[in-house]
Amino acid sequence: MSEYVTESITTLPDIKLIKSCEFGANDTVNSYMRRLCKVWLKNSNISPVEAGTYLRSMSIIKSVLDILSQGILSLEGVQKKLIDQDVTFRRLYLDGGDKVCSIVLENLLALITYSKRPLNNSEKLIPMLYLQVQLWQRELSGILRYFQKDPEFAWRHSLKKDEDRIALPMYFCRECGASGWLSRRLATDDSYCSDISTINKAFMDREKKMVLLNIESKNHEAVDEYVNENAINVTHHVSIKNLREMSESDSDTLRVRVCSRMTSTRNGNQRFTTVCPECNSDAICKIGGRTFTLSSVAISQVLSSDFDHAEEKDRKILVFTNSVQLIRQLSMKQELSDFFSVKSMQQYINSLDKPVNVAALQEGFKIYWKEKLSEDNVQHHKRDKAKEWISRKRRVNLCC
């Protein structure tokens, strides 16, 4: 550590300058990095190599590396240890508080990602420090909104049987951001539907009796382009207890805007259209529609197919696992898995002329790429624990 990082620069920028280094609403990555380089490195046009040299002379960088060498910590954990162990950072905390300290850490991480160093005194540049970023996104599948004036949400699985409030699925417009409740009302019904499964199925099937509900206000009025002979655009007073249509004088009601528009199919049948009443764009979607699952499948397919034209050494690692809880372990403990650096799994699948089971897929996959790639490109990290674990769980991890 002492050979790589020195402590010749022990001061930090002025608090006012640090506060100016937040990523603003009108910032681009380039403008943000130029500002950071000017404040922290004294040169807005400093090269990545020069930036790396400068950072390695800062005592705050050495303190961060000393702390992270002890194990994995959250950003808050790093900040707390810096306050305890670094005198300069502690003084900054006393003068500027948590907010300024958070900005400092974000700035340092951004500068680390910008900085480079030559590899073995060659022209090839590599990161000054390798920084791993993990983005965890939770799907909103099962999210509901209570039918009431003030916004309040709940998970479907957390609803109690004796719940005295009604929670409905929600819609969202990808164009204008409008949102509200989803429901359905048949001609024979005396109230709007509150059964979640029925509403979800009706929305997916585009049943013509689907309706969009929203609190009545000027902002939620349907635009003129939305209203036609196939559209519903009315205002009703609806009971918050049973979703029945009530009169204005009744208590426990919510004044809602009810909208829906149908279109005719080739067979003459009518179907609900996902057109937004507030902007007339075909952009209505159900909140909690497993968007992240679908997007992860799409990204996985791109990485494991010929769409990725990167050289073998530049490809990303993609781990397939049958358990969400194992992803974090797999990213940190490679001894749990057999990793294979491959050019493309899709090519091997395309070469098969008959169905195969998982075991045959695994063995054939390794044999195929051993023949196709050089020894340097096929890396086997075999560990006794991995062998034992894979044989027990019968799980295959493939990395592309």
Side-chain angles (χ1 to χ4, degrees):
M1 183 77 72
S2 59
E3 297 178 357
Y4 189 70
V5 182
T6 62
E7 297 183 84
S8 58
I9 301 177
T10 59
T11 59
L12 297 176
D14 184 76
I15 290 180
K16 290 184 178 180
L17 292 176
I18 292 176
K19 289 181 177 179
S20 70
C21 289
E22 282 193 282
F23 193 92
N26 298 321
D27 263 324
T28 64
V29 173
N30 184 55
S31 66
Y32 176 66
M33 291 308 305
R34 285 173 65 89
R35 188 164 68 253
L36 294 192
C37 290
K38 182 178 180 180
V39 171
W40 285 90
L41 310 180
K42 314 304 182 185
N43 184 357
S44 61
N45 296 314
I46 194 171
S47 69
V49 174
E50 293 171 333
T53 302
Y54 194 101
L55 285 178
R56 285 160 56 188
S57 66
M58 297 176 64
S59 63
I60 186 70
I61 294 294
K62 185 176 186 304
S63 297
V64 171
L65 294 180
D66 286 337
I67 290 171
L68 292 178
S69 65
Q70 302 170 14
I72 298 174
L73 296 171
S74 65
L75 204 59
E76 293 77 11
V78 174
Q79 178 175 314
K80 184 177 180 180
K81 284 186 173 292
L82 272 176
I83 294 172
D84 294 337
Q85 300 178 20
D86 191 281
V87 176
T88 306
F89 196 78
R90 186 185 310 123
R91 188 181 305 116
L92 181 73
Y93 169 73
L94 294 175
D95 295 338
D98 283 325
K99 181 63 175 179
V100 173
C101 292
S102 298
I103 296 174
V104 168
L105 288 179
E106 291 173 1
N107 289 175
L108 293 177
L109 292 176
L111 290 169
I112 287 173
T113 62
Y114 174 74
S115 303
K116 305 290 183 183
R117 64 182 176 90
L119 176 63
N120 299 327
N121 297 320
S122 65
E123 295 183 356
K124 182 177 180 180
L125 301 180
I126 61 174
M128 182 199 79
L129 293 170
Y130 285 92
L131 181 66
Q132 177 179 317
V133 178
Q134 291 182 330
L135 176 64
W136 294 87
Q137 295 175 309
R138 174 173 180 175
E139 286 187 335
L140 292 177
S141 54
I143 193 71
L144 304 171
R145 178 181 171 185
Y146 284 111
F147 188 74
Q148 58 189 35
K149 185 176 182 179
D150 297 325
E152 188 176 347
F153 307 94
W155 297 107
R156 180 177 179 179
H157 61 79
S158 66
L159 293 178
K160 300 178 181 178
K161 293 183 179 180
D162 57 347
E163 187 82 52
D164 60 351
R165 295 182 295 173
I166 295 176
L168 297 174
M170 297 177 288
Y171 73 84
F172 171 75
C173 177
R174 293 188 295 267
E175 286 293 327
C176 69
S179 64
W181 298 280
L182 289 170
S183 187
R184 186 190 74 161
R185 185 176 182 180
L186 302 178
T188 55
D189 291 340
D190 61 352
S191 64
Y192 292 97
C193 180
S194 61
D195 183 75
I196 299 168
S197 298
T198 301
I199 296 172
N200 288 340
K201 186 177 185 305
F203 181 80
M204 297 304 296
D205 294 341
R206 299 293 187 266
E207 290 187 15
K208 65 179 182 179
K209 295 302 181 180
M210 280 296 304
V211 291
L212 308 176
L213 307 178
N214 214 327
I215 295 176
E216 175 62 29
S217 71
K218 187 73 175 177
N219 295 332
H220 298 318
E221 289 183 357
V223 296
D224 295 338
E225 295 83 358
Y226 180 84
V227 181
N228 59 30
E229 64 275 9
N230 292 320
I232 298 174
N233 178 37
V234 296
T235 300
H236 287 157
H237 288 82
V238 179
S239 170
I240 62 175
K241 295 185 179 298
N242 53 28
L243 298 186
R244 290 183 177 178
E245 188 176 330
M246 311 291 282
S247 66
E248 184 177 356
S249 59
D250 291 323
S251 60
D252 295 330
T253 62
L254 196 62
R255 189 165 180 250
V256 297
R257 170 75 59 167
V258 183
C259 294
S260 180
R261 196 164 89 177
M262 280 75 70
T263 185
S264 297
T265 64
R266 293 181 179 178
N267 298 328
N269 298 322
Q270 286 190 322
R271 299 187 68 198
F272 170 76
T273 62
T274 53
V275 175
C276 176
E278 298 182 33
C279 68
N280 202 43
S281 300
D282 189 4
I284 289 291
C285 62
K286 176 183 172 294
I287 297 179
R290 298 191 177 277
T291 303
F292 293 139
T293 294
L294 296 175
S295 61
S296 66
V297 170
I299 294 171
S300 299
Q301 182 63 18
V302 170
L303 288 175
S304 64
S305 70
D306 292 334
F307 287 111
D308 189 353
H309 299 294
E311 295 294 331
E312 170 66 21
K313 59 183 178 62
D314 295 325
R315 284 178 178 256
K316 303 297 183 183
I317 291 180
L318 183 65
V319 179
F320 296 88
T321 176
N322 61 355
S323 175
V324 175
Q325 288 76 15
L326 288 172
I327 294 177
R328 188 168 182 268
Q329 296 177 357
L330 291 170
S331 66
M332 298 177 183
K333 299 183 179 181
Q334 292 191 2
E335 65 267 24
L336 288 178
S337 309
D338 276 1
F339 288 101
F340 303 97
S341 178
V342 300
K343 181 180 179 182
S344 168
M345 180 184 180
Q346 192 67 53
Q347 291 185 15
Y348 170 63
I349 295 177
N350 292 341
S351 70
L352 299 176
D353 58 358
K354 60 181 180 180
V356 296
N357 57 30
V358 174
L361 176 67
Q362 179 184 6
E363 293 303 318
F365 176 71
K366 291 186 289 186
I367 295 172
Y368 179 86
W369 285 110
K370 280 184 181 180
E371 296 174 351
K372 291 286 185 181
L373 302 177
S374 65
E375 189 65 27
D376 293 336
N377 288 333
V378 181
Q379 303 173 4
H380 302 275
H381 302 279
K382 294 185 177 292
R383 308 284 178 91
D384 292 337
K385 290 183 180 180
K387 290 180 181 179
E388 180 183 352
W389 195 85
I390 289 176
S391 63
R392 184 171 68 252
K393 296 294 184 181
R394 294 183 179 180
R395 181 179 59 82
V396 181
N397 289 320
L398 306 174
C399 297
C400 305

